[in-house]
Amino acid sequence: MEQVGSLADHQMMGGDVSVFWHFYRDLIPYLRNQGSLLNLGSGISFAFETFCRQQNNNLSITCVDRLQPKAKPEFIDRFVVGDIESDIEIPGNPKFDVVCFFEVLEHVDRTDAVIKNAIRHCRAGGLVMLSFPNLASIYARIELLLGFQPHVLEVSNERANLGAGFFGRYNNPKDQPIHHIRGITSRAGKELAQYHGLKVREMLGTSGGRFHALWKYLPGIAPVNVMICELAR
């Protein structure tokens, strides 16, 4: 298959999510009885898709990303190469039961375009699920209080940790930019979804593995926020 762009460019601009996040388990009730799922900015590691297939063997899965994998896994029904900040066209123009985009909004300029794509391809009454680093997390608040740049919001395309001091070195020891150009708080993320007509059914806190059981119920100060939204009928 033809590869569009370099892998390094993809990782900088999109952030290929290759780990199983703890919050995947919290989404099981929303996935088990669904028929179709669209993942915008899926990356090419397919960690979430693998998890979805384990929970729901009948789920039809479509992925969209800027890169095309060298070999599409059999459990992915369709892979579309495209820019999620532009109008995404999917053959047959299907409407999906669930549309998701995890760890994507912080990487893009046109956040509204991503959400509009999600809504356009979601059926009435369907779910839109997303996650993003929380700029108002307890860690970011401490960093700002001490005069450091929050490590989740980069100021350079060449160095990730400028201004972030110890916190940057701890979280990103290789100092490799991952193109976090958006800082989003829990409140801003919720209001953005509501602005586009989505009903926020649940907001969860989580992290990359530390203290998930605690953060789940404290989304306002959790490192990462997960939102489960419903598209009004």
Side-chain angles (χ1 to χ4, degrees):
M1 294 183 180
E2 182 182 359
Q3 185 165 288
V4 181
S6 69
L7 180 58
D9 177 59
H10 168 75
Q11 289 174 333
M12 174 180 288
M13 298 298 293
D16 196 14
V17 179
S18 59
V19 298
F20 285 88
W21 285 79
H22 287 278
F23 72 75
Y24 290 176
R25 297 184 182 91
D26 298 323
L27 301 180
I28 291 175
Y30 298 102
L31 295 170
R32 276 188 172 157
N33 298 318
Q34 304 295 343
S36 59
L37 178 141
L38 170 65
N39 192 356
L40 297 175
S42 63
I44 55 175
S45 294
F46 307 113
F48 180 63
E49 290 79 5
T50 300
F51 176 81
C52 289
R53 175 60 70 228
Q54 292 170 348
Q55 307 306 317
N56 183 347
N57 195 49
N58 296 317
L59 187 66
S60 173
I61 301 175
T62 297
C63 297
V64 178
D65 201 82
R66 293 166 64 251
L67 280 188
Q68 190 173 51
K70 292 181 179 180
K72 179 179 70 66
E74 292 184 1
F75 59 85
I76 304 296
D77 296 271
R78 182 187 290 118
F79 192 99
V80 177
V81 177
D83 179 2
I84 61 173
E85 294 183 71
S86 303
D87 289 344
I88 295 294
E89 298 299 331
I90 298 175
N93 194 31
K95 298 292 184 181
F96 294 86
D97 296 321
V98 179
V99 181
C100 60
F101 46 101
F102 299 125
E103 305 305 288
V104 166
L105 283 186
E106 67 273 16
H107 296 276
V108 303
D109 176 38
R110 303 183 62 215
T111 54
D112 301 282
V114 176
I115 295 176
K116 287 177 180 178
N117 265 323
I119 291 173
R120 185 159 63 93
H121 292 292
C122 187
R123 69 168 175 81
L127 299 177
V128 174
M129 305 192 300
L130 61 142
S131 71
F132 52 86
N134 177 17
L135 186 60
S137 74
I138 188 64
Y139 299 132
R141 295 181 192 216
I142 292 173
E143 289 165 347
L144 283 170
L145 182 65
L146 297 177
F148 290 99
Q149 173 76 16
H151 71 275
V152 296
L153 187 58
E154 298 170 352
V155 299
S156 169
N157 291 325
E158 298 179 3
R159 296 280 301 278
N161 296 333
L162 296 181
F166 162 80
F167 303 99
R169 293 191 296 272
Y170 177 78
N171 287 279
N172 189 345
K174 294 185 179 180
D175 199 18
Q176 181 178 356
I178 53 178
H179 204 72
H180 278 196
I181 63 172
R182 288 282 186 178
I184 308 168
T185 65
S186 302
R187 184 186 300 272
K190 184 176 182 178
E191 291 186 5
L192 179 64
Q194 293 172 333
Y195 168 72
H196 286 284
L198 295 170
K199 178 183 178 181
V200 180
R201 288 177 50 172
E202 189 172 12
M203 175 172 275
L204 303 172
T206 187
S207 70
R210 298 182 293 271
F211 311 118
H212 173 72
L214 172 65
W215 297 132
K216 180 177 178 179
Y217 302 103
L218 298 170
I221 59 172
V224 175
N225 284 164
V226 183
M227 290 200 304
I228 298 94
C229 306
E230 183 177 347
L231 181 61
R233 297 181 183 276

